[in-house]
């Protein structure tokens, strides 16, 4: 500067803080720029602050001189933390050092230089280094104080205060899978967070967990308090608990139901079958057992088991009561079939008395010909196909009594009779255990012709599994792993095998493989979690014994607690399996999480453990579990006031923190000194350890798969559908990619559309976001609706939170899919009862819907109609609210009638001289009643007019028709029930009902479209609409190629039945008959449907 005063005239000598800040800015900008920036030689700021005098330092950092100019460093801007590039590491270190030097400069200098710099918290930097800085956040987290994060519920779930509800739910599931014995505490944490946030989604999750039989730590504490018991008492045993219950129940008979419920919870907590039995023993005789199950004495054993399953599904907590009821019935009947079912879970052969058999088939003349017996059987089967097993039992009893070869040959054939020709009728799918929804889903996919062709001709579309290929694109905005692709391709191969069986089977139904059911119902992450959790308590082969002590691997470090705490090494803690997985006793122990006693802890410490926890802490976890009972473990966990989620003044350590604090005071063993074995007097081994055994084959693999299927059957409907579509996309090659790298393939072409959301920002402008969707979500919680009213809820304007303010948002469809899926949300949450329930409100379906009103468009008239419709609906909501105020009072009568009743009461009091003259008051009340009546009438009229206007608003917009192709139906509760599906055959103008093994024609259209008036109505749960111009190309329910011999056999049997009975319905003719497996469609090239 002193050498060229004229050039730098007006410039002051820079402060040191300015020099540091400028160099730091150059480095930060280098990370933001893809191209290397050049600093001109005549840049005055550069010359004043740095320049040639700092050349050695600049070149060390990575600046490069190019003639008189300088090039800034060139880090790898694509690298994600943690980085290993030397240039990146150096520049990041220098930037932090410069910031540290800036912070050390005097305050007056920083104020004078006006240097500005932002400080990043260490926690943010650490999160970024760990790749944990980007996750879905709770929108309301900005309003929470930092003290709330100290509440132990969040760290107990491994969660942060700003986690989105979905992440909170995921954290809970991970904790439960890795630590099943801690489920009560984790459930309490989930409940506390749900209440603190007032989150309906989390409260619904809590209700679902509770409905599956799980109890929270809060429930456990309340249960012990209800019986006046000390949860942490070491003297508490089953006898004392049961005795306390009996004495309190005797003293307060009216409180027995509450006390029994408390006893049930304690039994679950202690894994005590004895206590649970005592809690459930409300059924003490045959009459009570039949009444409790809803059965009668003349019902057969099959029906008794069916009623047990209904009870158990409705309330898993009452399983013990249900089993006790079945046991009483089995003892009364001396039924070997029921006794076998109670012992093994498989119903034994139920032999029907021949007299009962004739009565069952309604045959009075027992001397009739065998062919007439068969004809009668066929008639009953046609009337009630779901009772085929009971009918076959009757036929079997008659065949045995007659020693009839005709009847026995029929029974031993692999098919049931059908009134439809095999080549022209779809096959059913056997229910392999709570898989009715799976069967409906598989039937639906089979009827979508492009989907079926893709599966059957999978080899042409199979993805090449290599790392380079997998990194090219994303599915669902994320890369897929090789393991996922291999699993997905296995799934498609299993599905291909099933589809082939459905085409060629000579029987009326086929049975899906267990492995296909598992792969369909369980996604790869859920399956991995289940498998990982099942290893935590499984048996592992022993290497033998040394002096009576088991040897299971290399000896671990000494366990100081064996000496310090003087633990009784003979005490065992009972195993506790995760709900839905595992069994009783020693059955399939490899799938049961286990509480470890001290012997078990010593053994498990030496075994190979799954990578659930850091290696150095695994031993400590085993010690923690080995040294406490389940009651003590629960007592260790931090508890909070039950009424709210209040922040704590001081941070509350978790169990592991407490253990570390306790361990910090212990004297660690001297690894160079005498061993623990010497301290406790264990003699050295007298012989070498035995040779390790060879690996044994896994036992009961089918049982493990069935358990996983049962767990998968509890997955949400959308999770199963998403899993199927995701696996198909993983398994096949892409046809193209969008601008973001998202894979476009045949699955997306068939089932995925695109939605566009419009959100108004604070400036009044609308920001848009476009994304794929595979189904539309509609709700019927508020009352009965037609299909358009339900769909409107997915697209109408609503208020969302944007930067702390509420702003309008609405959605449109920018690209319609050929196959449009609609999910009807029926699972709701009762805030008062704190339980999930199913909404039974009727959804009025239309065979044809028009999607014009929902598509994204610049049509001003369409946009204006939408706005008018939104305004009318807002008025309608206000009118409905006012109507409810006038219609509902505490006395269960409307306001006008209440006022008239009040007037009559005043008149009566006045006549009896109990009060003075009330004429003026009576007149005023009458006038108010008249006004209320007029207002109520006006509101009802206005509601009718608005409803009519809304429904007719888009009637002339009908250029995008969709036809109803499938309707998934459910009957039951939120926790259990039965699914079946109706599927439309457009070519034959026919609806069919697919109900597991049975596929039948729908005679009455009202069966699908009219409201079911039963107390437990059948309701649509999932709907499928197909573009009208593609329905013949996309929908093909009948695809059969039955071997000629099987078709002839079926025809002969139909002739026998038809000739003898004379009343068999004529087969439904399909015009073209069978669809060939070989030929055109099997080898056809895929043609992408043109979008609307």
């Amino acid at each position: 500067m002193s050498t060229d005063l004229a050039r730098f005239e007006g410039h002051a000598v820079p402060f040191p803080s300015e020099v540091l800040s400028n160099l730091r800015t150059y480095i930060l900008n280098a990370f933001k720029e893809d191209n290397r920036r050049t600093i001109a030689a005549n840049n005055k700021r550069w010359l004043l602050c740095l320049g040639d005098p700092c050349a050695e330092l600049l070149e060390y950092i990575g600046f490069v001189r190019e003639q008189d100019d300088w090039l800034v460093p060139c880090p790898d801007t694509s690298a994600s933390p943690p980085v290993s590039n030397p240039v990146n590491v150096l520049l990041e270190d220098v930037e932090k050092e410069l910031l540290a030097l800036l912070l050390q400069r005097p305050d007056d200098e920083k104020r004078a230089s006006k240097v500005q710099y932002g400080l990043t918290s260490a926690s943010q930097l650490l999160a970024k280094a760990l790749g944990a800085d980007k996750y879905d956040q709770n929108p309301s987290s900005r309003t929470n104080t930092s003290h709330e994060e100290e509440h132990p519920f969040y760290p107990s779930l491994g969660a942060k205060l700003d986690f989105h509800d979905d992440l909170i739910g995921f954290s809970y599931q991970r904790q439960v899978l890795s630590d099943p014995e801690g489920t009560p505490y984790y459930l309490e944490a989930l409940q506390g967070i749900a209440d603190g946030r007032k989150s309906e989604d989390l409260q619904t999750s809590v209700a679902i967990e509770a409905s599956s039989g799980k109890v929270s730590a809060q429930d456990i504490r309340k249960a012990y308090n209800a019986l006046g018991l000390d949860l942490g008492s070491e003297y508490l045993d089953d006898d004392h608990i049961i005795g306390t219950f009996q004495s309190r129940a005797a003293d307060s008979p009216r409180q027995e139901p509450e006390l029994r419920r408390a006893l049930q919870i304690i039994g679950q907590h202690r894994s005590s079958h004895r206590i649970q039995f005592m809690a459930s023993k409300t059924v003490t005789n045959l009459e009570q057992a039949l009444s409790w199950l809803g059965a009668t004495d003349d019902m057969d054993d099959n029906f008794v088991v069916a009623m047990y399953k209904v009870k158990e599904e409705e309330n898993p907590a009452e399983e013990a009561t249900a089993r006790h009821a079945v046991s009483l019935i089995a003892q009364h009947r001396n039924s070997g079939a029921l006794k076998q079912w109670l012992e093994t879970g498989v119903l034994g052969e139920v032999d029907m008395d021949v007299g009962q058999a004739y009565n069952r088939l309604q045959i009075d003349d027992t001397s009739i010909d065998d062919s007439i017996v068969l004809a009668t059987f066929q008639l009953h089967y046609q009337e009630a196909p779901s009772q085929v097993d009971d009918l076959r039992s009757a036929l079997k009893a008659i065949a045995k009594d007659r020693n009839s070869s005709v009847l026995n040959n029929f029974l031993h054939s692999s098919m049931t009779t059908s009134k439809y020709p095999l080549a022209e009728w779809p096959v059913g799918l056997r229910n392999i255990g709570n898989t009715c929804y799976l069967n409906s889903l598989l039937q639906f996919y089979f009827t979508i012709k492009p989907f079926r062709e893709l599966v059957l001709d999978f080899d042409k579309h199979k993805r090449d599994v290599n790392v380079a290929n997998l990194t090219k694109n994303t599915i669902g905005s994320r890369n897929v792993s090789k393991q996922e692709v291999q699993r997905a391709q296995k799934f498609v191969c299993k599905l291909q095998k099933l589809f082939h069986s459905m085409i060629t089977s000579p029987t009326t139904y086929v049975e899906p493989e267990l492995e296909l059911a598992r792969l369909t119902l369980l996604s790869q992450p859920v399956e991995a979690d289940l498998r990982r959790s099942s290893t935590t308590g499984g048996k592992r082969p022993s290497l033998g014994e040394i002096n009576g002590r088991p040897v299971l691997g290399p000896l671990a470090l000494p366990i100081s607690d064996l000496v310090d705490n003087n633990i009784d090494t003979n005490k065992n803690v009972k195993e506790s399996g995760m709900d839905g997985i595992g069994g009783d006793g020693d059955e399939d122990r490899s799938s049961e999480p286990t509480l470890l006693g001290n012997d078990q802890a010593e053994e498990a410490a030496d075994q190979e453990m799954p990578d659930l926890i850091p290696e150095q802490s695994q031993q400590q976890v085993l010690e923690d579990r080995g040294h406490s009972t389940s009651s003590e473990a629960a007592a260790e966990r931090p508890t909070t006031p039950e009424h709210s989620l209040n922040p704590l003044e001081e941070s509350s350590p978790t169990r592991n923190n407490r253990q570390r604090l306790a361990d910090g005071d212990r004297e660690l063993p001297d690894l160079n000194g005498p061993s623990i074995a010497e301290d406790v007097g264990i003699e050295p081994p007298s012989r070498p350890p035995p040779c390790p055994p060879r690996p044994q084959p896994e036992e009961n693999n089918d049982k493990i798969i069935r358990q996983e299927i049962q767990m998968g059957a509890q997955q949400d409907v959308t999770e199963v559908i998403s899993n199927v579509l995701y696996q198909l996309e993983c398994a096949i090659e892409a046809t193209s990619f969008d601008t973001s790298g998202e894979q476009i393939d045949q699955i997306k072409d068939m089932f995925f559309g695109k939605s566009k959301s419009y959100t108004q920002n604070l400036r009044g402008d609308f920001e848009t976001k476009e994304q794929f969707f595979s189904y539309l979500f509609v709700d019927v919680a508020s009352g009965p609706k037609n299909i358009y009213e339900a769909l409107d809820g997915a697209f109408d304007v609503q208020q969302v939170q944007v930067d702390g303010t509420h702003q309008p948002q609405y959605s449109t469809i920018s690209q319609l899919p050929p196959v449009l899926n609609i999910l009807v949300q029926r699972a709701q949450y009762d805030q008062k009862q704190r339980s999930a329930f199913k909404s039974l409100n009727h959804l009025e379906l239309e065979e044809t819907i028009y999607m014009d009103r929902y598509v994204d468009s610049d049509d001003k008239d369409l946009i204006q109609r939408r706005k008018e419709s939104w305004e009318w609906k807002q008025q309608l909501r206000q009118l409905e609210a006012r109507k409810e105020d006038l219609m509902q009072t505490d006395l269960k009568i409307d306001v006008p009638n209440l006022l008239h009743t009040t007037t009559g009461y005043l008149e009566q009091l006045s006549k009896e001289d109990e009060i003075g003259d009330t004429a003026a008051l009576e007149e005023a009340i009458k006038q108010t009643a008249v006004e209320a009546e007029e207002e109520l009438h006006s509101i009802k009229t206005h509601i009718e007019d608005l409803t009519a206007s809304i429904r007719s608003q888009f009637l002339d917009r009908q250029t995008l028709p969709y036809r109803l192709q499938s309707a998934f139906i459910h009957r039951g509760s939120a926790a259990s029930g039965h699914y079946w599906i109706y599927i439309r055959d457009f070519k034959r103008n026919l609806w069919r009902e697919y109900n597991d093994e049975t596929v039948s024609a729908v005679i009455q259209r009202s069966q699908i479209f009219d409201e079911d008036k039963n107390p437990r109505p059948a309701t649509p749960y999932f709907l499928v609409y197909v573009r009208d111009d593609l329905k013949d190309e996309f929908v093909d329910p009948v695809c059969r190629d039955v071997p000629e011999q099987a078709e002839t056999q079926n025809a002969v049997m139909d002739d026998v039945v038809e000739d003898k009975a004379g009343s068999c319905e004529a087969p439904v003719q399909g015009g073209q008959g069978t669809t060939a497996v070989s030929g055109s469609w099997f080898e056809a090239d895929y043609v992408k449907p043109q979008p609307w």
Side-chain angles (χ1 to χ4, degrees), residues 444 448 450 745-754 773-774 813 815-821 849 851 960-965 986 1024-1035 1086-1092:
F444 156 63
I448 302 299
D745 49 50
Q746 297 182 39
I747 296 300
K748 274 201 171 66
D749 292 341
M750 279 185 264
F751 299 104
F752 284 75
K754 283 187 177 180
F773 71 88
S774 59
I813 298 178
Q815 180 179 313
L816 281 162
V819 181
L820 179 66
N821 295 329
I849 61 174
M851 300 299 292
L960 302 176
Y962 273 73
R963 302 288 295 277
L964 182 62
Q965 185 264 343
F986 293 105
V1024 181
Y1025 282 85
V1026 179
R1027 261 175 52 178
D1028 183 66
D1029 63 325
L1030 295 175
K1031 65 180 185 299
D1032 294 331
E1033 177 185 344
F1034 267 62
V1035 181
Y1086 171 72
V1087 179
K1088 177 179 178 179
Q1090 295 300 314
W1092 274 343

Side-chain angles (χ1 to χ4, degrees), residues 48-259:
L48 284 173
C49 293
L50 299 166
D52 290 343
C54 301
E56 184 178 355
L57 172 64
L58 294 172
E59 289 173 352
Y60 172 76
I61 295 174
F63 287 80
V64 176
R65 186 193 295 273
E66 191 177 70
Q67 296 180 355
D68 293 334
D69 298 332
W70 286 85
L71 296 178
V72 299
C74 187
D76 181 5
T77 57
S78 64
S80 57
V83 296
S84 58
N85 185 305
V87 175
N88 290 48
V89 173
L90 174 63
L91 291 176
E92 287 184 356
D93 289 346
V94 171
E95 186 272 324
K96 295 299 183 294
E97 290 290 341
L98 290 170
L99 180 60
L101 292 173
L102 270 171
L103 293 172
Q104 295 173 8
R105 300 304 303 167
D107 291 339
D108 55 348
E109 177 188 315
K110 287 187 284 188
R111 285 192 295 269
S113 64
K114 299 181 180 180
V115 170
Q116 296 182 352
Y117 49 86
L119 294 177
T120 304
S121 68
S123 60
Q124 290 179 313
L125 295 174
L126 181 60
K128 183 178 180 181
L130 295 175
D133 57 328
K134 296 179 181 179
Y135 52 84
D136 293 338
Q137 294 183 326
N138 181 24
S140 61
S141 61
R142 300 186 186 92
T143 63
N144 292 328
T145 65
S146 60
H147 296 290
E148 289 182 272
E149 196 165 6
E150 296 178 354
H151 198 286
F153 284 161
Y154 285 98
S156 295
L157 293 184
K160 295 181 64 179
L161 179 68
D162 60 352
F163 269 18
H164 190 275
D165 285 352
D166 291 342
L167 281 178
I168 294 291
F170 172 78
S171 301
Y172 165 77
Q173 294 293 344
R174 294 289 302 186
Q175 292 289 64
V176 168
L177 286 170
S178 60
D179 180 21
E181 70 176 88
T183 298
Y185 177 67
Y186 301 133
L187 184 56
E188 180 184 22
L190 183 66
Q191 175 70 69
I193 294 174
D195 291 343
R197 292 186 172 193
K198 296 181 174 58
S199 166
E200 291 188 6
D201 289 342
L202 290 181
Q203 287 172 340
T204 300
S205 298
V206 172
I208 291 173
E209 292 295 283
S211 67
S212 67
K214 295 184 177 130
V215 294
S216 69
Q218 185 181 80
D219 295 329
I220 293 171
R221 292 195 298 273
K222 287 182 177 179
Y224 278 89
N225 289 337
L227 293 179
L229 299 172
D230 181 5
L231 173 61
S233 173
E234 60 180 319
Y235 303 106
L236 210 57
D237 58 18
D238 289 0
D239 290 332
H240 181 67
I241 293 172
I242 293 172
T244 301
F245 161 75
Q246 291 174 332
S247 63
R248 285 187 174 248
D251 293 340
S252 305
R254 292 184 179 181
Q255 296 182 6
E256 182 175 345
E258 292 80 4
L259 295 173

Side-chain angles (χ1 to χ4, degrees), residues 434-497:
N434 283 342
T435 57
C436 50
Y437 173 72
L438 169 68
N439 289 345
S440 299
L441 190 64
L442 294 174
Q443 291 282 17
F444 156 63
Y445 283 127
F446 181 82
T447 65
I448 302 299
K449 185 177 178 181
F451 184 95
R452 185 175 66 225
E453 293 175 0
L454 173 65
V455 172
L456 290 170
D457 207 15
F458 173 52
D459 289 342
K460 285 187 178 181
H461 310 283
K462 190 173 182 179
R463 182 192 295 271
D464 179 21
V465 184
N466 63 72
V467 177
N469 185 43
L470 296 180
T471 57
K472 291 179 181 178
N473 61 286
T474 60
I475 300 175
S477 302
R478 71 180 185 87
N479 295 108
V480 298
S481 66
K482 182 176 180 180
Q483 182 183 8
E484 285 180 303
V485 173
Q486 291 173 334
R487 183 186 192 272
Q489 292 180 346
K490 179 181 178 182
F491 160 72
V492 179
C493 289
K494 294 292 184 183
L495 187 59
Q496 182 188 65
K497 183 177 178 181

Side-chain angles (χ1 to χ4, degrees), residues 588-835:
D588 190 27
R589 298 280 281 278
S590 63
S591 63
E592 294 182 2
T594 306
L595 285 170
L596 301 179
N598 290 305
D599 286 347
Q600 294 167 312
E602 286 186 66
E603 296 170 8
D606 298 334
Q607 299 176 29
E608 179 183 355
M609 294 294 293
D611 295 328
L612 294 175
I613 50 179
E615 182 177 355
Q616 67 265 26
S617 65
Q618 290 176 4
Q619 179 64 34
Q620 183 61 52
V621 171
L622 291 174
E623 291 175 22
D624 291 346
R625 293 185 176 182
H627 300 154
S628 64
T629 65
S630 57
S631 300
E632 292 167 346
E636 280 186 69
R637 304 179 190 274
T639 59
T640 58
E642 300 174 357
H643 60 277
S644 64
L645 182 64
N646 297 322
L648 302 180
E649 296 181 359
E650 298 180 1
S651 178
S652 299
T654 62
R655 279 192 308 169
N656 289 341
N657 289 338
R658 290 182 175 180
Q659 187 63 47
R660 293 193 195 98
L661 292 172
D663 289 346
D665 296 332
R666 291 183 186 162
E667 182 179 352
L668 296 177
D670 183 4
L671 299 182
N672 297 319
S675 67
I676 288 293
E678 295 173 357
D679 288 345
V680 297
I682 300 177
E683 296 294 331
S686 59
R687 57 184 174 83
C691 296
R694 294 183 181 276
Q696 298 297 318
E698 187 175 10
E699 298 179 1
N700 295 328
N701 187 55
D702 279 359
K703 181 177 179 181
I704 295 173
I705 294 177
R706 286 185 184 275
Q707 291 170 346
E708 293 181 347
I709 289 173
Q710 293 303 311
M711 190 67 175
Q714 300 174 23
Q715 299 297 306
D716 185 79
V717 171
T718 58
E719 292 175 338
V720 178
I721 294 175
S722 299
N723 182 42
V724 171
L725 298 182
Y726 179 75
Q727 290 191 96
L728 260 294
E729 288 197 87
C730 287
I732 63 176
E733 289 285 3
T735 56
S736 63
F737 305 95
D738 68 7
T739 55
S740 67
E742 178 72 15
Q743 171 174 308
I744 307 299
D745 49 50
Q746 297 182 39
I747 296 300
K748 274 201 171 66
D749 292 341
M750 279 185 264
F751 299 104
F752 284 75
K754 283 187 177 180
S755 66
K756 183 181 288 187
S757 63
Y758 291 81
T759 307
Q760 192 172 33
N761 58 31
L762 298 179
R763 299 186 303 274
D765 302 323
F766 277 94
E767 299 176 355
T768 63
K769 179 181 179 181
E770 190 175 46
Q771 59 187 6
F772 284 104
F773 71 88
S774 59
Y775 61 87
L776 298 178
F777 185 91
V778 301
D779 196 351
V780 292
S782 59
K785 297 179 181 179
N786 64 34
I787 185 64
Y788 286 115
E789 291 170 340
L791 282 169
D792 287 351
F795 299 98
D796 284 350
V797 67
Q798 57 183 332
Q799 296 295 316
V800 298
Q801 194 174 56
V802 178
D803 294 331
T805 64
H806 288 86
Q807 299 294 332
Q809 180 188 77
Y810 68 94
S811 299
T812 62
I813 298 178
S814 56
Q815 180 179 313
L816 281 162
V819 181
L820 179 66
N821 295 329
I822 300 175
L823 172 67
V824 184
Q825 173 63 18
R826 292 194 176 274
Q828 305 294 331
Y829 184 77
D830 189 327
Q831 297 283 358
K832 294 182 179 178
Q833 299 295 327
R834 292 189 176 275
S835 62

